[in-house]
Amino acid sequence: MVLSDKFGRPITDLRISITDRCNYKCVYCRTGNEGALYGELPFADYLRMARVLVGLGIRKLRITGGEPLLRPGVVDFVRELAKLQTTDFEPLDIAITTNGHLLAELAEPLKRAGLTRATVSMDAVDPERFAHITRVPSGFDNVLAGIRAARRSGLWPVKVNCVLMRGFNEDQIIPFGMFAREEGVIVRFIEFMPLEEGRTWSPATVVNLDEVLHRMSEYRPLVEIPHARSETARRYRFDDGIGEIGIIAPVSHPFCGHCSRIRITSDGKIRTCLFSVWDHDLHGVMRRGASDEDMADFIRGVVERKEERHHIGEPDFVPASRTMVHIGG
Ligand code: SAM
């Protein structure tokens, strides 16, 4: 039976963090002083977890981190994942979320190994602003080269994710609209969530969906295009048909009711919500000698108890027990 939680949401989407390390220290994510906090597992362990989960109905698998491209062996890991089939004997949809710093050299090998799609995080199209946000001098050229290499290699679609934080990059909205049109990528703006190490979030720091739409329409009119229910982004095309943008609005327009995701952290814990206050030690179960069926039972029990929704901005909000970089976004 396909995995589902007690609210009847089918769980078809898995994100695996393969490292807690990151080579960027983005201001909205990191304090700049903390390094990795959690360990990483041999690829064979992630692979076994993935195999069991795909057997339970996972159709999409996203590799993330930390920064996943820091991990030597990631191409071979994708090659092994690509051998898995969904319960309908379809190929698994394998994506990656990366800061793109090392993507220029890896895009082609990843595509050949079986990667389907790539999402590159990039929070400014202005190189100086980019350096200010990432706290890494001259990374912009690498990331741009990575995005272009991803497109050339046939990874499709290439999405560029931009987290907007007031006072840092809301003036980049229109330049990103131009970038989407010029580079042939889908730019997706993400509302800033309270998942940062430094606890700097407040409602006032969030640049919301309405504001993005308003600003972008000063550049060119947008036409909304239909999106699948479980899709996180609302999608828009420019009126002349050239260029697509998306807006992921978990704060102003939560989509928890359609959430189909679970995550595995770099140290092998299952998280059923970004805002979970606990995680579930799947690797511990494995280490104690569990069979695949025991692992599947454990996973079913954990997924049953997936949280109904997040409580961002509500008086009873309790911060997640890990921040975004240590979960895997
Ligand atoms: N290093 C990879 C990258 O940069 O894409 C993967 C990990 S990163 C934590 C995953 C995504 O989470 C990035 O797109 C990042 O911008 C986003 N992110 C980090 N902190 C966030 C926050 N507080 N709110 C919304 N998105 C956040």
Side-chain angles (χ1 to χ4, degrees), residues 22 28-29 64-68 97-99 121 123 161 163 190-196 324-325 329:
C22 190
Y28 59 86
C29 186
T64 180
E67 172 45 43
T97 300
T98 168
N99 61 29
S121 306
D123 304 303
N161 277 359
V163 176
I190 306 180
E191 288 178 350
F192 179 40
M193 291 179 277
L195 282 168
E196 73 291 10
M324 189 67 127
V325 67

Side-chain angles (χ1 to χ4, degrees), residues 231-294:
E231 233 178 320
T232 50
R234 295 183 179 219
R235 300 171 57 191
Y236 304 84
R237 192 167 285 138
F238 288 102
D239 62 336
D240 62 356
I242 302 169
E244 179 178 332
I245 68 155
I247 306 178
I248 302 177
V251 180
S252 68
H253 295 74
F255 38 82
C256 306
H258 307 303
C259 182
S260 54
R261 277 170 291 285
I262 58 167
R263 292 175 164 80
I264 292 180
T265 61
S266 65
D267 56 341
K269 309 275 167 49
I270 300 178
R271 291 184 69 91
T272 46
C273 174
L274 276 175
F275 293 93
S276 292
V277 290
W278 51 72
D279 34 46
H280 308 271
D281 193 3
L282 181 60
H283 189 243
V285 170
M286 259 175 75
R287 244 191 351 249
R288 290 192 290 278
S291 66
D292 287 2
E293 198 36 58
D294 295 336

Side-chain angles (χ1 to χ4, degrees), residues 73-118:
V74 62
V75 173
D76 292 333
F77 180 51
V78 169
R79 192 171 296 112
E80 292 304 313
L81 287 173
K83 293 178 187 162
L84 300 178
Q85 284 191 325
T86 68
T87 48
D88 312 330
F89 309 105
E90 300 277 338
L92 190 64
D93 179 10
I94 309 170
I96 199 162
T97 300
T98 168
N99 61 29
H101 195 84
L102 301 170
L103 188 59
E105 298 217 332
L106 284 167
E108 182 70 42
L110 284 166
K111 168 70 184 169
R112 267 191 272 117
L115 191 75
T116 335
R117 302 182 282 128

